[in-house]
Amino acid sequence: MTTKTTQPVQGMSDLGPPEIHIWQEIEQTTRRIMALYGFEEVRTPIAEYTQVFTRSIGDTTDVVQKEMYTFEDRGGRQLSLRPEGTAGVMRYVAGFGPDAAGLRLYYVGPMFRCERPQAGRRRQFHQLGIEAIGAPNPAADVEAIALQQHVFAEIGLKGLTVEVNTRGLPDDRAAVAKGLASALKPHLGALCEDCRRRYETNILRILDCKQQTCGEIVKSLPPVTDFMCDESRRYLDEVLRLLGRLEIAVKVNPLLVRGLDYYVHTVWETRHPALGAQDALSGGGRYRIDLGSAAVEGVGFAAGIERLVTALAHDASGGARRSGHVPIWIVSHGARALEENMVLAQALRMRGVVCGIDLAGRSMKAQMREANKASAGCVVIRGDLEIEKGIVVLKNMKDGAQEELDLPEAIERLVSAGRVEVLKS
Ligand code: AMP
């Protein structure tokens, strides 16, 4: 097969202006809100020993069975690119031993899943997420949902729905599987091929099958909470009560299971109507992950940044909200002026002023076009003639007014104008 080396790998994308500005805004907002809740950033490697994922995500999940990029390193060890953030953070957290309890961590970064590329499903995508380490506690689950909603609201998202359910306790699993098996048995022949396999290996996953015929069958099943113990049901009730106290609207979806094996008690997913078939903005839940030598418990969520961007573009009626705005643009005429203006640009930038300058010696017309493109509020015009006269021309781009100043005066004016611009942005 031939490959186009000017294109990124299928299902992966370059990110540049103007879209990058929305990404930066999302990341900055995320960091600000995380700090309000006392969460600190963790950066784990993008590759781990494959076992780190198989032991925590679960051998029978689609992510592990079909979607991981797995390869051997030079020493013959199996590595995988991370398909999600939790497993790596758990490996990191395990190193803290009993001191891990109470850790509040967040991450932002790329994830990799070798899925069939389609709208909303990328092979490299980005997530922002949190992990709050600690024993089961409905209040901690509710705080995680509150934090997620706070981030989404600050980013500017509207019209999303949070669906909540419970996976119950690990001891409920056998009863849930048994209950579902007997309820599904009469329909076995009508299930899709994947679900017939899931009936044997991971029956719960039948509940979130995307095939229409399976969906119809699943709707007729009793809710999974019917097969759970009182403690699990009480935990969910408490989560819902506390969400009410914080005035966070959620919808209970008894069919929500989430794809991964490590969940206990609360699970949730957030949906947005702009996302079409792949409508999940985020997924989260409480987990108990067995790491061989230790088990780590906590609650967390991960949101797909590509999907946040899509949903935002929809909410803001399309388009990037901010492009590369440069408040001051320096226009030169002549070789000597270009050099002097480079010195001026450096002096302004060293004092915190964002300014643009054309270094290629293009025509003044072309330079003015650049200034307009960057929506500059003020243009500095300084050619060889102005250098000789020791003046600088400042042009106000709003009303076209021009004035002549000497250089130190002009610098002071530009520094204060530039600061005001920075404060405004
Ligand atoms: P998951 O753990 O699979 O529920 O993923 C959490 C979130 O990551 C989802 O709700 C999506 O927003 C995002 N996500 C997962 N897989 C992909 C993908 N292949 N492409 C883009 N976003 C994804």
Side-chain angles (χ1 to χ4, degrees), residues 113 115 120-122 125 127 258 280-283 302-304 307:
R113 294 185 194 175
E115 316 201 52
R121 284 213 169 271
R122 318 286 308 152
F125 59 100
Q127 288 185 336
R258 306 274 301 128
L281 265 184
S282 80
R307 295 194 192 171

Side-chain angles (χ1 to χ4, degrees), residues 90-110:
M90 290 307 109
R91 177 198 45 67
Y92 166 78
V93 155
F96 287 78
D99 294 338
L103 282 179
R104 294 154 83 77
L105 301 168
Y106 77 90
Y107 56 84
V108 181

Side-chain angles (χ1 to χ4, degrees), residues 337-404:
L338 177 55
E339 187 175 319
E340 292 304 321
N341 284 339
M342 214 182 139
V343 175
L344 171 62
Q346 185 71 8
L348 290 172
R349 287 167 178 162
M350 292 297 279
R351 293 185 65 179
V353 176
V354 180
C355 64
I357 179 169
D358 169 55
L359 298 176
R362 287 190 294 171
S363 72
M364 285 190 64
K365 205 166 146 200
Q367 294 181 62
M368 288 305 287
R369 251 204 318 271
E370 283 297 307
N372 275 321
K373 220 166 91 187
S375 330
C378 174
V379 169
V380 180
I381 304 168
R382 201 172 169 226
D384 288 351
L385 203 67
E386 283 77 19
I387 300 276
E388 252 163 53
K389 287 206 261 176
I391 57 156
V392 172
V393 177
L394 297 190
K395 179 172 180 176
N396 183 327
M397 295 296 276
K398 280 193 195 95
D399 56 15
Q402 297 199 13
E403 55 183 325
E404 289 182 4

Side-chain angles (χ1 to χ4, degrees), residues 11 63 67 83-84 111-113 115 118 120-127 258-260 262-263 268-270 275 278-284 301-308:
V63 168
E67 296 167 4
E84 51 94 65
M111 308 292 159
F112 304 84
R113 294 185 194 175
E115 316 201 52
Q118 51 182 298
R121 284 213 169 271
R122 318 286 308 152
R123 289 184 169 176
Q124 175 178 319
F125 59 100
H126 298 74
Q127 288 185 336
R258 306 274 301 128
L260 312 180
Y262 52 49
Y263 288 110
W268 72 90
E269 253 173 31
T270 315
L275 299 177
Q278 305 298 331
D279 64 352
L281 265 184
S282 80
F301 71 83
I305 302 182
E306 281 79 0
R307 295 194 192 171
L308 292 180

